Amino acid sequence: MIKARITFASLRLTVEFDASRLNLSQIEATVTGLGYGLSGVSKRADSKASITERLLQHRQLLALTGLMIAGGISRLVLPEMGAWAFWPAVLWGLFPIMKGVLRQAGRGNFFGMETLMTVAVIGALALGESFEAAMVVFLFMIGEKLESLAADRARSGVKALMALTPDTAILIRGDERIEVMADSLRPGDLIEVRPGDRLPVDAELLTEAGSFDESALTGESLPVEYVAGNRILAGSLVTDRLVQLRVQSEPGENAIDRILTLIEEAEAHKAPVERFIDRFSRWYTPLMMVIAGLVIVLPPLLAGQPWDVWVYRGLALLLIACPCALIISTPAAVTSALAAATRKGILIKGGAALEQLASIRQVAFDKTGTLTLGKPEVTAIVSFGLPETEWLSLVTAVEKGTSHPLALAILAEAERRGIHVGVADEITVLAGHGIHGVVKGQNIRVGSPAAMAEVVACLPAVEAEIVRLEEQGNTVVCASVEGEFVGLLALSDTLRSDSGDAIERLRGIGVGSVMLTGDNPRAAKAIANQLGMDFRAGLLPEDKVNAVRALQASAPVAMVGDGINDAPALRTADIGIAMGQGSDVALETADAALTHDRVGEVADVISLSRHAMAIIRQNIALALGLKAIFLVTSLMGVTGLMVAVLADSGATALVTANALRLLPKGKD
């Protein structure tokens, strides 16, 4: 089976086929045979075409303009030529339109814009109105060029993204520096990037330190300082020094490629309003052709009206009926909004998610790694029974089996204290309940006070210590060896610098916020009070799902999270938004993702989606309103063929230009 998909935003053709039955040259021949051009898989379009190339791109319109001028002069100089003066212009302009009709008919589409244009122009010639026929094809061609320019502008954000990664890279082999194609790099290769150049791949920094401009990817205006061992994303600009890096991404799988893949997948998830318009347009055009036919035949047959008058009005109605403006009204706005969101460091997975975002009235936030930095530090250690170094060695051995932020903090504290980390077997991670393992034949369990309530409840002194530490805003972790309680670890996280601003901005656009956390109520309350928001604490993953469902009973909810345990809630919410450095599961489950770790943009993306939906409603109203007006004027004989095609092209350009208002100002 052969599957093909064309992505409007990136102008990429994706074909899935059996290489044993079909080859690339056959695919290229088929595409070019349909009248489309192809650029090479590894080639980039040159955005700075020469004047000669630009003239060649518009040669058909320029030639038609010359024929129109020649026709006008001929009619003035040789009046006897009359209507024949514009026939060359009509034939020249009609030829590519009829080719389009044949191509569409070959694909089973008999009611496209080209069909309507062809019928109208041939009808005008039959009535002896060659000047109007010539003007119709002339205005149609101008409209097509304007639409193409507007569409290119709508795709400019994606084009800029595609241009971020260079085609070549400097590969290090021993003492040699070799320039190679970027797509030949493989994980483990060493590369060198000069100041002012961009990274062609995701890579690990080997140089001691470096400054990188990631504004094109994350929207962060200031360069970011990285040290050796940090992962740097493809497309980042080196700002201060020559750096060496180790390639980490496979060809076609770097950060830019992943963003483009998400954008392409997003186009497959159309907004409900867009899907409705697609269905509407399938029967709308043939219906309007039937109505135009009735307009032509009924007045002359039933009322004895002149045939030529009503044929002319019917042809004008055909041009007015073209659904181009209506069809483009939604995808132009969606593409512009997705491009604008991408420039802000927000990836929205499709028009459906964009439309749903506009309805959000509540946002639920995970705490650790979302509202906080997700880099807690150990603030206190309290031992009960075993010496501190002995039970910490056992606990850290088990914690090595997880990448949870609390576990990483415990490991860091053990390293700081010089405590030997043992080796654990049979490690079992219990999401929301802690972790269990066997070290030197001893069963070790680490978890929250709630998860180990059966042990803590028997020890009043431990309970009192837990309360004291939690009231200070700490997260408390309990540890037991062979079922015997051995100690407490108190950890504290730091709020993100923009968390408070994010909550305030949401409040400013009428969106409420609530924190959903598995942390204890006392620590959660301390964080929530700082941010001025509601909270639900002590939640397991299934409890977060139930909390989201309870919130949905009153208004649509967006969930923002970063961890594996957030994935069910992200999927349950009306919209799931994953933090950029979150788990792969969270990123795959969510409907949108932040390419950075700032929560302030959550309010921005909701505002952007609301603006996009307002633009879509405006575009639909413009498209239908203008058609309704000119439909009436055409039937009354006030407007003719030229005005009809101008109205259609004008409406298409108008709704596209309106959609472009969503794009960031001053950015390409």
Side-chain angles (χ1 to χ4, degrees), residues 13-277:
L13 169 66
T14 304
V15 182
E16 298 177 22
F17 62 95
D18 183 353
S20 64
R21 302 176 60 187
L22 195 65
N23 58 46
L24 191 59
S25 61
Q26 290 174 300
I27 294 173
E28 292 177 348
T30 301
V31 174
T32 53
L34 291 172
Y36 298 102
L38 278 176
S39 58
V41 174
S42 61
K43 296 177 183 176
R44 296 179 186 272
D46 185 5
S47 59
K48 296 183 178 180
S50 66
I51 294 177
T52 303
E53 289 172 332
R54 293 190 180 191
L55 288 175
L56 288 173
Q57 289 174 0
H58 303 297
R59 60 186 179 276
Q60 199 164 23
L61 177 59
L62 293 173
L64 180 58
T65 303
L67 290 172
M68 290 289 292
I69 294 172
I73 294 173
S74 298
R75 178 178 277 189
L76 289 174
V77 176
L78 302 169
E80 62 272 16
M81 288 189 64
W84 295 100
F86 291 97
W87 270 75
V90 175
L91 295 176
W92 177 264
L94 189 59
F95 178 70
I97 298 174
M98 292 191 70
K99 282 177 63 178
V101 172
L102 295 175
R103 281 198 303 266
Q104 290 188 4
R107 297 195 294 268
N109 180 12
F110 300 97
F111 299 105
M113 173 57 182
E114 286 82 358
T115 303
L116 301 180
M117 287 295 302
T118 301
V119 172
V121 171
I122 292 175
L125 289 175
L127 293 173
E129 300 288 349
S130 64
F131 173 68
E132 291 221 30
M135 284 300 296
V136 165
V137 295
F138 179 64
L139 293 172
F140 175 73
M141 198 172 289
I142 289 177
E144 291 278 281
K145 291 295 181 183
L146 291 174
E147 288 175 33
S148 177
L149 291 172
D152 284 344
R153 180 70 180 91
R155 285 189 290 262
S156 61
V158 177
K159 283 183 176 180
L161 197 62
M162 294 172 72
L164 285 179
T165 52
D167 290 324
T168 60
I170 303 299
L171 179 66
I172 302 175
R173 284 182 181 166
D175 295 330
E176 290 185 292
R177 302 293 188 271
I178 307 168
E179 185 172 6
V180 300
M181 296 303 296
D183 56 13
S184 69
L185 297 174
R186 295 295 183 273
D189 287 346
L190 300 183
I191 60 172
E192 193 170 76
V193 183
R194 297 180 292 258
D197 289 345
R198 294 186 181 275
L199 270 65
V201 292
D202 295 349
E204 176 190 349
L205 183 62
L206 300 179
T207 304
E208 183 178 352
S211 181
F212 297 83
D213 180 356
E214 299 179 330
S215 58
L217 284 167
T218 67
E220 177 62 60
S221 58
L222 297 176
V224 180
E225 298 291 334
Y226 285 108
V227 297
N230 287 154
R231 181 185 175 95
I232 318 295
L233 299 180
S236 300
L237 179 73
V238 182
T239 61
D240 63 344
R241 69 188 69 180
L242 182 73
V243 295
Q244 294 185 354
L245 308 102
R246 179 180 289 110
V247 176
Q248 290 191 324
S249 59
E250 294 281 354
E253 296 181 6
N254 64 47
I256 301 297
D257 293 317
R258 291 195 298 274
I259 291 173
L260 290 171
T261 298
L262 284 172
I263 292 174
E264 292 177 358
E265 290 174 351
E267 288 202 6
H269 297 81
K270 294 184 177 181
V273 65
E274 187 175 356
R275 291 196 297 269
F276 167 75
I277 289 174

Side-chain angles (χ1 to χ4, degrees), residues 108 312 361 373 459 491 515 518 575 615 664:
Y312 185 86
R361 293 295 178 271
L373 292 175
L459 303 169
L491 301 98
M515 180 174 67
I575 285 291
I615 292 287

